[in-house]
Amino acid sequence: MADTADTAGEEDAAGQPPKDTRNTRNTGDAKDGVLAAVGPRLRELRRRHGMTLAELAERTGINESTLSRLEGGTRKPTLEMLLPLAEVHAVPLDELVGAPRTGDPRIHLRPVTRDGLTYVPLSRPGGVQAHKLLIPPGPDTEPTLRTHEGFEWLYVLAGRLRLILGERTLVLKPGEAAEFDTHVPHWLGPDDDRTVELLVLFGHQGERAHLRACQGPLGGSAHAPH
């Protein structure tokens, strides 16, 4: 009789066993976790590119308040928001939302041009980032030095690089490298009328690439004008 009573107790009023909602609940928790991780990832990408919320709003057509709430996690992202953000940051949509990788180790190059500069991401988001950077000659105007979070290492592939670090000006030729703390005011660009091509490694939170400049570490940083 006890077995019968227990079995009867497991059925609902219609005589059907209760539904197991654990899978539905776990799926919902996983989805919430993925969405919650999008905001910090968006903030990291924006800061890595040296962009303000106002600049990002202008490029994406998404208002500044919405972008701020997306980064803070108080606004859930939609596909209509993520598509222009992925395009501006030059990352695949699945990497923007942290989708599992398929096992393909290749990096699908998606060049992006901003302010006349061409960035070619050579790594996936997270940790030290690798880019190929092409800087064409610009107008003959006084360089504007910038500062931002991070640490940077660069290697000149082609052309002559003019590097301004605070009060110092250096010229690097192909095959030379430099390493910088990007809190120091900096600027870089071609030293002549040819495009300069660079390989750049950049750690967002001051993370240093495990490489050393051929001329030794410098006491400042240079980054392409944003």
Side-chain angles (χ1 to χ4, degrees):
M1 291 298 293
D3 290 342
T4 303
D6 289 343
T7 302
E10 293 175 359
E11 296 180 351
D12 60 18
Q16 298 295 326
K19 295 181 179 180
D20 188 350
T21 61
R22 285 175 298 178
N23 289 339
T24 301
R25 185 166 55 252
N26 291 340
T27 300
D29 291 344
K31 179 180 177 181
D32 289 343
V34 169
L35 292 177
V38 171
R41 192 173 292 114
L42 288 173
R43 181 182 292 111
E44 178 186 353
L45 286 168
R46 177 178 61 80
R47 290 178 174 174
R48 184 184 306 149
H49 292 155
M51 300 176 66
T52 64
L53 282 170
E55 290 170 336
L56 186 58
E58 183 178 352
R59 294 180 181 278
T60 60
I62 303 171
N63 70 62
E64 192 173 340
S65 173
T66 298
L67 290 172
S68 178
R69 285 185 288 149
L70 281 174
E71 292 186 359
T74 58
R75 173 72 180 268
K76 288 187 177 180
T78 65
L79 184 60
E80 289 75 13
M81 296 176 185
L82 292 176
L83 286 174
L85 287 166
E87 181 178 358
V88 168
H89 293 312
V91 296
L93 186 61
D94 58 348
E95 292 184 9
L96 192 61
V97 298
R101 296 179 184 175
T102 61
D104 186 349
R106 293 173 298 177
I107 306 296
H108 301 287
L109 307 182
R110 291 175 173 82
V112 59
T113 299
R114 187 171 76 241
D115 297 333
L117 311 181
T118 300
Y119 299 83
V120 185
L122 302 177
S123 61
R124 295 184 170 93
V128 174
Q129 295 294 293
H131 290 79
K132 181 178 181 181
L133 177 61
L134 289 81
I135 313 175
D140 189 16
T141 57
E142 188 68 21
T144 301
L145 278 63
R146 305 288 182 91
T147 62
H148 54 83
E149 292 289 333
F151 213 90
E152 188 168 327
W153 177 93
L154 62 81
Y155 177 86
V156 182
L157 298 169
R160 290 169 60 88
L161 175 69
R162 181 186 177 200
L163 183 59
I164 302 177
L165 305 169
E167 300 296 325
R168 304 175 64 187
T169 298
L170 302 165
V171 176
L172 281 73
K173 298 174 294 185
E176 293 187 306
E179 186 180 39
F180 325 101
D181 177 355
T182 56
H183 290 90
V184 176
H186 58 274
W187 179 92
L188 60 85
D191 186 52
D192 51 30
D193 59 357
R194 296 174 298 168
T195 295
V196 62
E197 299 183 17
L198 310 173
L199 174 63
V200 180
L201 301 182
F202 178 67
H204 174 55
Q205 294 295 346
E207 182 175 8
R208 300 182 69 164
H210 297 291
L211 296 164
R212 283 293 179 268
C214 63
Q215 296 179 331
L218 300 174
S221 171
H223 196 60
H226 303 301

